[in-house]
Amino acid sequence: MRRCYSKFTAYHLGFKNSNFLLVGSGSVTRRTIATTSERSFSNYAAQVGQSQTKDNTVSDMLIDSFGRLHTYLRISLTERCNLRCQYCMPSEGVELTPNSDLLSQSEIVRLAGLFVSAGVNKIRLTGGEPTVRKDIEEICMQLSSLKGLKNLAITTNGITLARKLPKLQECGLDSLNISLDTLVPAKFEFLTRRKGHDRVMKSIDTAIELGYNPVKVNCVLMRGLNDDEICDFVDLTRDKPINVRFIEFMPFDGNVWNVKKLVPYAEVMDKVVKGFPSIKRMQDHPTETAKNFTIDGHCGSVSFITSMTEHFCAGCNRLRLLADGNFKVCLFGPSEVSLRDPLRSGADDEALREIIGAAVKRKKAAHAGMLDIAKTANRPMIHIGG
């Protein structure tokens, strides 16, 4: 049967020299298309903003100068982690912010409430490792009860999740991503500098048993380390409602990023198509960061997050609140503004909204290229939040 996945989302059509895939008769080819001058970034971003559901609660605070509406807030609960993943932090570790300078539970909830009242409808809890925070259940309970919030998610390494997940589900946790970069226990210990592979696998199974569907599994691919396991990860989706998400290796301070370690989307896709020729592209929402695919006969799905080789900045709807209270509008941008300091100095909600709105308006059209990002001073990933 002839297969042709040439119908692409606007991500692939809005930028010069964008790579896309044509799949036919089991073969994959890459072509380059030129962008017409009429398809400007600002026009497309405005269309993305218009495509998102708005209601009377949406505030101008969340709309940047390119018309992008930001409805997704990622909150880092802690800089601490029980693993030492190579792509997240240097081997010697990182200097942690004193506890007194981290946001308290009440400060997190107050700031989250400002964002939700302005139109944010999804919050993701990150870290560090968010489950090491002792009050995470109370935080989930309070956040899930915010009027207007539709989804409360978490990104976790899964080390302690199996034990904590039943209670977190009761407290309103709607969805989750579990980070797992290898299916080989010995390699897991090498990549994370800790033991615990069996506990992560147990957490994935626990999440499935509790009815989470899909259970998203994040896999950062690094050449020479785990790129030989691509098809093994895809096999996880055969009989279980797992969404495997292959993530391109990204540069952050201290993770010794090198372009030679990057396994680009096109190369990964080549391997997947050869092993699973029935793979088909799904229709993605304009703000989706991943390119999503299904495979005939598989219960789960496969996704690709292509931050380095095919960025998705035009559809970005994400903002970040760091554990120390700094507000970041772009993962790869060094610019940050403190919300903690004015909050603790007695700023009222309107003053905080003005600070947030001004930062959102300063968000750039797109992040720099990967080689420029690698040269730009930024925090380690564990400080920013995964």
Side-chain angles (χ1 to χ4, degrees), residues 80-379:
R80 297 184 179 277
C81 188
N82 42 17
L83 296 180
R84 295 292 182 271
C85 298
Q86 294 188 27
Y87 56 81
C88 190
M89 69 165 73
S91 58
E92 66 273 15
V94 297
E95 183 177 352
L96 299 175
T97 302
N99 286 339
S100 60
D101 291 336
L102 299 178
L103 293 178
S104 67
Q105 179 185 147
S106 61
E107 289 171 334
I108 291 171
V109 174
R110 180 181 170 189
L111 290 173
L114 286 178
F115 282 97
V116 173
S117 66
V120 162
N121 54 40
K122 179 176 181 178
I123 289 177
R124 178 174 297 278
L125 304 178
T126 68
E129 170 49 40
T131 61
V132 304
R133 182 148 174 162
K134 295 180 180 179
D135 58 353
I136 186 172
E137 294 172 357
E138 291 80 6
I139 290 174
C140 284
M141 180 73 77
Q142 294 191 54
L143 293 180
S144 65
S145 60
L146 290 175
K147 185 179 179 181
L149 187 69
K150 298 178 180 178
N151 184 274
L152 179 62
I154 193 172
T155 295
T156 169
N157 61 31
I159 292 293
T160 64
L161 184 67
R163 173 170 52 87
K164 297 184 177 183
L165 189 54
K167 182 62 176 178
L168 290 174
Q169 187 178 51
E170 290 179 11
C171 293
L173 186 67
D174 299 303
S175 56
L176 50 84
N177 292 46
I178 299 175
S179 298
L180 178 65
D181 302 313
T182 179
L183 300 175
V184 181
K187 196 185 294 186
F188 177 92
E189 187 173 346
F190 172 75
L191 288 170
T192 67
R193 306 183 181 105
R194 298 289 188 274
K195 296 181 183 293
H197 183 269
D198 57 331
R199 284 182 279 174
V200 180
M201 298 304 294
K202 182 179 180 181
S203 291
I204 292 172
D205 289 337
T206 298
I208 293 171
E209 291 168 3
L210 289 173
Y212 286 95
N213 185 0
V215 175
K216 296 183 178 181
V217 174
N218 292 348
C219 176
V220 177
L221 290 174
M222 292 163 282
R223 191 177 302 283
L225 290 175
N226 60 352
D227 55 326
D228 60 334
E229 299 183 60
I230 291 170
C231 288
D232 294 333
F233 269 97
V234 176
D235 267 329
L236 291 177
T237 71
R238 191 179 301 275
D239 301 315
K240 296 180 179 180
I242 291 174
N243 170 227
V244 170
R245 302 164 71 82
F246 293 116
I247 302 173
E248 290 180 335
F249 185 35
M250 296 175 280
F252 294 97
D253 280 10
N255 72 352
V256 198
W257 184 88
N258 187 306
V259 69
K260 294 180 179 179
K261 295 181 182 179
L262 174 69
V263 187
Y265 161 56
E267 180 181 332
V268 182
M269 190 65 183
D270 283 346
K271 291 185 178 182
V272 175
V273 169
K274 289 176 182 176
F276 305 88
S278 66
I279 189 168
K280 296 182 180 69
R281 182 69 186 266
M282 298 170 65
Q283 183 64 47
D284 299 324
H285 189 276
T287 62
E288 176 62 70
T289 59
K291 297 171 174 64
N292 300 297
F293 294 79
T294 58
I295 299 173
D296 288 351
H298 283 226
C299 181
S301 57
V302 180
S303 302
F304 303 85
I305 299 176
T306 62
S307 306
M308 296 294 95
T309 61
E310 294 186 20
H311 71 69
F312 31 82
C313 300
C316 183
N317 69 339
R318 291 151 182 77
L319 302 170
R320 293 173 180 268
L321 180 61
L322 280 55
D324 63 2
N326 275 14
F327 179 52
K328 197 174 180 74
V329 296
C330 176
L331 173 61
F332 299 109
S335 178
E336 300 177 5
V337 61
S338 178
L339 298 182
R340 178 202 64 202
D341 292 347
L343 179 66
R344 293 183 178 180
S345 297
D348 60 16
D349 288 354
E350 186 57 35
L352 292 169
R353 289 191 187 98
E354 289 181 5
I355 296 171
I356 294 168
V360 171
K361 292 295 185 293
R362 291 193 296 270
K363 185 170 181 174
K364 295 182 178 180
H367 63 67
M370 58 183 171
L371 297 180
D372 290 327
I373 292 173
K375 300 174 184 176
T376 302
N378 199 356
R379 298 218 225 177

